[in-house]
Amino acid sequence: VTTRFGCTDSTAAIIRINGVTESFIPSAFTPNGDGVNDVFLPIHLGEKPEAYEMSIFNRWGERLFYSTNPYEPWDGTYQGEIAKSDTYVYLIRVRSKYSANKKEFKGKVVILK
């Protein structure tokens, strides 16, 4: 900011909006070991890590992966083998760290080989 007398000043502040949780959930990944897009890892801003669950299911409802750690990705494996190229269902539950609000995300992720 510059005043009409030529004086200048600047300031910065971090503004936190309470109760807001943002999420980015990829729709596909390629677990081929090339170091690019090898895992499925949704990103949640504003969640409580101790109130997180992620499950991955196949088309028959069999749970292939489960984690309560928001930083643990699914590497596309089931019983030590890379799952086949297919569409899988995820169920993610998170709680805002700013309030008691809970969110549930359901959707599909595709493994491409």
Side-chain angles (χ1 to χ4, degrees):
V1 172
T2 303
T3 69
R4 63 184 174 143
F5 303 109
C7 298
T8 60
D9 196 7
S10 65
T11 188
I14 296 174
I15 299 172
R16 177 172 285 147
I17 301 172
N18 290 340
V20 174
T21 300
E22 288 190 45
S23 297
F24 169 74
I25 303 174
S27 58
F29 70 111
T30 58
N32 57 11
D34 68 356
V36 178
N37 202 25
D38 283 333
V39 297
F40 176 69
L41 182 61
I43 305 297
H44 303 282
L45 304 174
E47 91 282 348
K48 269 189 163 177
E50 65 271 14
Y52 175 88
E53 292 181 78
M54 179 170 71
S55 296
I56 306 291
F57 301 92
N58 65 16
R59 64 179 61 228
W60 298 278
E62 182 179 14
R63 185 161 67 182
L64 309 182
F65 178 79
Y66 176 78
S67 179
T68 58
N69 180 346
Y71 309 108
E72 180 181 7
W74 180 40
D75 62 3
T77 61
Y78 177 60
Q79 296 181 341
E81 300 288 325
I82 296 287
K84 67 178 185 166
S85 291
D86 206 347
T87 301
Y88 298 87
V89 175
Y90 61 79
L91 171 61
I92 301 168
R93 294 183 176 123
V94 297
R95 184 177 336 152
S96 170
K97 65 180 168 184
Y98 307 116
S99 71
N101 295 339
K102 295 179 183 177
K103 283 192 174 182
E104 186 172 274
F105 301 90
K106 297 176 185 177
K108 299 173 188 170
V109 60
V110 176
I111 288 182
L112 302 170
K113 292 187 192 177

